[in-house]
Short mmCIF file of all heavy atoms in Angstrom, two decimals:
data_model
loop_
_atom_site.label_atom_id
_atom_site.label_comp_id
_atom_site.label_asym_id
_atom_site.label_seq_id
_atom_site.Cartn_x
_atom_site.Cartn_y
_atom_site.Cartn_z
N LEU Q 2 122.12 33.05 104.04
CA LEU Q 2 122.79 32.17 104.98
C LEU Q 2 121.75 31.34 105.71
O LEU Q 2 120.74 31.87 106.17
CB LEU Q 2 123.58 33.01 106.00
CG LEU Q 2 124.36 32.26 107.08
CD1 LEU Q 2 125.47 31.41 106.45
CD2 LEU Q 2 124.96 33.24 108.09
N VAL Q 3 121.99 30.03 105.78
CA VAL Q 3 121.10 29.11 106.49
C VAL Q 3 121.83 28.58 107.71
O VAL Q 3 122.92 28.02 107.60
CB VAL Q 3 120.66 27.94 105.59
CG1 VAL Q 3 119.78 26.96 106.38
CG2 VAL Q 3 119.91 28.45 104.37
N PHE Q 4 121.23 28.78 108.89
CA PHE Q 4 121.78 28.20 110.11
C PHE Q 4 121.11 26.84 110.34
O PHE Q 4 119.89 26.75 110.47
CB PHE Q 4 121.51 29.10 111.31
CG PHE Q 4 122.44 30.28 111.40
CD1 PHE Q 4 122.07 31.51 110.91
CD2 PHE Q 4 123.70 30.14 111.98
CE1 PHE Q 4 122.92 32.60 111.00
CE2 PHE Q 4 124.57 31.23 112.07
CZ PHE Q 4 124.18 32.46 111.57
N GLY Q 5 121.94 25.78 110.40
CA GLY Q 5 121.44 24.43 110.60
C GLY Q 5 121.39 23.66 109.30
O GLY Q 5 120.81 24.13 108.32
N ALA Q 6 122.01 22.49 109.28
CA ALA Q 6 122.03 21.65 108.08
C ALA Q 6 121.36 20.32 108.32
O ALA Q 6 121.76 19.29 107.79
CB ALA Q 6 123.47 21.44 107.61
N GLY Q 7 120.32 20.32 109.16
CA GLY Q 7 119.45 19.15 109.27
C GLY Q 7 118.51 19.12 108.09
O GLY Q 7 118.69 19.84 107.09
N CYS Q 8 117.46 18.34 108.19
CA CYS Q 8 116.53 18.21 107.06
C CYS Q 8 115.97 19.56 106.64
O CYS Q 8 116.00 19.92 105.46
CB CYS Q 8 115.40 17.26 107.45
SG CYS Q 8 114.12 17.11 106.17
N ILE Q 9 115.42 20.33 107.59
CA ILE Q 9 114.79 21.60 107.23
C ILE Q 9 115.82 22.61 106.73
O ILE Q 9 115.54 23.38 105.80
CB ILE Q 9 113.99 22.16 108.42
CG1 ILE Q 9 112.87 21.20 108.80
CG2 ILE Q 9 113.41 23.53 108.08
CD1 ILE Q 9 111.88 20.91 107.67
N GLY Q 10 117.00 22.60 107.30
CA GLY Q 10 118.05 23.48 106.80
C GLY Q 10 118.43 23.16 105.37
O GLY Q 10 118.59 24.05 104.53
N LEU Q 11 118.54 21.87 105.07
CA LEU Q 11 118.92 21.46 103.72
C LEU Q 11 117.84 21.78 102.70
O LEU Q 11 118.13 22.27 101.61
CB LEU Q 11 119.25 19.97 103.70
CG LEU Q 11 120.51 19.55 104.44
CD1 LEU Q 11 120.65 18.03 104.47
CD2 LEU Q 11 121.75 20.17 103.79
N VAL Q 12 116.58 21.52 103.04
CA VAL Q 12 115.52 21.83 102.08
C VAL Q 12 115.35 23.34 101.93
O VAL Q 12 114.99 23.83 100.84
CB VAL Q 12 114.18 21.15 102.44
CG1 VAL Q 12 114.30 19.64 102.34
CG2 VAL Q 12 113.68 21.57 103.82
N SER Q 13 115.63 24.09 103.00
CA SER Q 13 115.59 25.56 102.88
C SER Q 13 116.68 26.04 101.94
O SER Q 13 116.46 26.93 101.11
CB SER Q 13 115.74 26.20 104.26
OG SER Q 13 114.66 25.89 105.10
N MET Q 14 117.87 25.47 102.08
CA MET Q 14 118.96 25.83 101.19
C MET Q 14 118.61 25.53 99.74
O MET Q 14 118.80 26.37 98.84
CB MET Q 14 120.23 25.08 101.60
CG MET Q 14 121.46 25.36 100.73
SD MET Q 14 121.58 24.29 99.26
CE MET Q 14 121.89 22.70 100.03
N MET Q 15 118.03 24.35 99.49
CA MET Q 15 117.67 23.99 98.12
C MET Q 15 116.53 24.85 97.59
O MET Q 15 116.50 25.19 96.40
CB MET Q 15 117.33 22.50 98.04
CG MET Q 15 118.53 21.60 98.22
SD MET Q 15 118.21 19.85 97.82
CE MET Q 15 117.18 19.37 99.21
N ALA Q 16 115.60 25.23 98.46
CA ALA Q 16 114.51 26.12 98.04
C ALA Q 16 115.06 27.49 97.64
O ALA Q 16 114.63 28.08 96.64
CB ALA Q 16 113.48 26.24 99.15
N LEU Q 17 115.99 28.00 98.42
CA LEU Q 17 116.61 29.28 98.08
C LEU Q 17 117.30 29.22 96.72
O LEU Q 17 117.17 30.14 95.90
CB LEU Q 17 117.62 29.68 99.16
CG LEU Q 17 117.05 30.08 100.52
CD1 LEU Q 17 118.15 30.16 101.56
CD2 LEU Q 17 116.31 31.41 100.43
N LYS Q 18 118.04 28.14 96.48
CA LYS Q 18 118.71 27.98 95.19
C LYS Q 18 117.70 27.88 94.06
O LYS Q 18 117.87 28.47 92.99
CB LYS Q 18 119.60 26.74 95.22
CG LYS Q 18 120.74 26.79 96.23
CD LYS Q 18 121.83 27.75 95.82
CE LYS Q 18 122.63 27.25 94.65
NZ LYS Q 18 123.79 28.12 94.34
N ALA Q 19 116.60 27.14 94.30
CA ALA Q 19 115.58 26.97 93.28
C ALA Q 19 114.89 28.28 92.94
O ALA Q 19 114.43 28.49 91.81
CB ALA Q 19 114.54 25.94 93.74
N GLU Q 20 114.83 29.19 93.91
CA GLU Q 20 114.18 30.48 93.68
C GLU Q 20 115.16 31.53 93.17
O GLU Q 20 114.83 32.71 93.08
CB GLU Q 20 113.47 30.95 94.94
CG GLU Q 20 112.31 30.03 95.32
CD GLU Q 20 111.29 30.69 96.21
OE1 GLU Q 20 111.55 31.81 96.71
OE2 GLU Q 20 110.22 30.11 96.41
N GLY Q 21 116.37 31.11 92.86
CA GLY Q 21 117.30 31.99 92.17
C GLY Q 21 118.27 32.76 93.02
O GLY Q 21 119.02 33.61 92.49
N VAL Q 22 118.30 32.49 94.33
CA VAL Q 22 119.25 33.19 95.19
C VAL Q 22 120.68 32.87 94.71
O VAL Q 22 121.03 31.71 94.51
CB VAL Q 22 119.05 32.80 96.67
CG1 VAL Q 22 120.13 33.43 97.53
CG2 VAL Q 22 117.67 33.24 97.13
N SER Q 23 121.47 33.90 94.55
CA SER Q 23 122.77 33.74 93.90
C SER Q 23 123.76 32.93 94.72
O SER Q 23 124.45 32.04 94.21
CB SER Q 23 123.36 35.12 93.59
OG SER Q 23 122.47 35.86 92.79
N LYS Q 24 123.87 33.26 96.01
CA LYS Q 24 124.81 32.57 96.87
C LYS Q 24 124.11 32.15 98.16
O LYS Q 24 123.47 32.98 98.81
CB LYS Q 24 126.00 33.47 97.20
CG LYS Q 24 126.84 33.87 95.99
CD LYS Q 24 127.99 34.80 96.40
CE LYS Q 24 128.82 35.21 95.19
NZ LYS Q 24 129.92 36.14 95.57
N VAL Q 25 124.26 30.87 98.52
CA VAL Q 25 123.64 30.35 99.75
C VAL Q 25 124.72 29.62 100.55
O VAL Q 25 125.26 28.61 100.10
CB VAL Q 25 122.48 29.40 99.45
CG1 VAL Q 25 121.83 28.96 100.77
CG2 VAL Q 25 121.45 30.06 98.54
N TYR Q 26 125.00 30.14 101.74
CA TYR Q 26 125.97 29.52 102.65
C TYR Q 26 125.21 28.81 103.77
O TYR Q 26 124.09 29.18 104.12
CB TYR Q 26 126.91 30.57 103.23
CG TYR Q 26 127.75 31.27 102.18
CD1 TYR Q 26 127.34 32.49 101.63
CD2 TYR Q 26 128.95 30.71 101.74
CE1 TYR Q 26 128.11 33.13 100.67
CE2 TYR Q 26 129.72 31.34 100.77
CZ TYR Q 26 129.29 32.55 100.24
OH TYR Q 26 130.06 33.18 99.27
N VAL Q 27 125.84 27.79 104.35
CA VAL Q 27 125.21 26.99 105.39
C VAL Q 27 126.17 26.87 106.58
O VAL Q 27 127.36 26.62 106.40
CB VAL Q 27 124.83 25.58 104.88
CG1 VAL Q 27 124.20 24.75 106.00
CG2 VAL Q 27 123.87 25.69 103.69
N VAL Q 28 125.61 27.02 107.79
CA VAL Q 28 126.38 26.92 109.03
C VAL Q 28 125.88 25.73 109.84
O VAL Q 28 124.67 25.53 109.99
CB VAL Q 28 126.24 28.20 109.88
CG1 VAL Q 28 126.97 28.03 111.21
CG2 VAL Q 28 126.77 29.41 109.13
N ASP Q 29 126.81 24.95 110.37
CA ASP Q 29 126.46 23.85 111.27
C ASP Q 29 127.72 23.48 112.04
O ASP Q 29 128.81 23.97 111.73
CB ASP Q 29 125.92 22.64 110.48
CG ASP Q 29 125.05 21.73 111.34
OD1 ASP Q 29 125.61 21.02 112.19
OD2 ASP Q 29 123.81 21.75 111.19
N ILE Q 30 127.55 22.59 113.04
CA ILE Q 30 128.71 22.12 113.79
C ILE Q 30 129.13 20.71 113.37
O ILE Q 30 130.13 20.19 113.85
CB ILE Q 30 128.45 22.14 115.31
CG1 ILE Q 30 127.29 21.21 115.68
CG2 ILE Q 30 128.20 23.55 115.79
CD1 ILE Q 30 127.10 21.05 117.18
N MET Q 31 128.35 20.08 112.49
CA MET Q 31 128.63 18.72 112.04
C MET Q 31 129.19 18.74 110.62
O MET Q 31 128.49 19.13 109.68
CB MET Q 31 127.36 17.87 112.06
CG MET Q 31 126.74 17.73 113.43
SD MET Q 31 127.75 16.70 114.49
CE MET Q 31 126.69 16.59 115.92
N GLN Q 32 130.43 18.32 110.45
CA GLN Q 32 131.06 18.40 109.14
C GLN Q 32 130.36 17.53 108.11
O GLN Q 32 130.25 17.91 106.94
CB GLN Q 32 132.54 18.02 109.25
CG GLN Q 32 133.32 18.29 107.96
CD GLN Q 32 133.26 19.74 107.53
OE1 GLN Q 32 133.44 20.65 108.33
NE2 GLN Q 32 132.99 19.98 106.24
#
C-alpha cells in the first residue's frame, strides 16, 4: 500500500510493480 499519489508516491508504486510485488494499492484524497 502506498500513501500519497504525488510524484514520489507514483514512482514508488511503479517501482514496487517493477520489483514484482503482486498487488499495489494507492491512497490519496485527490481522485
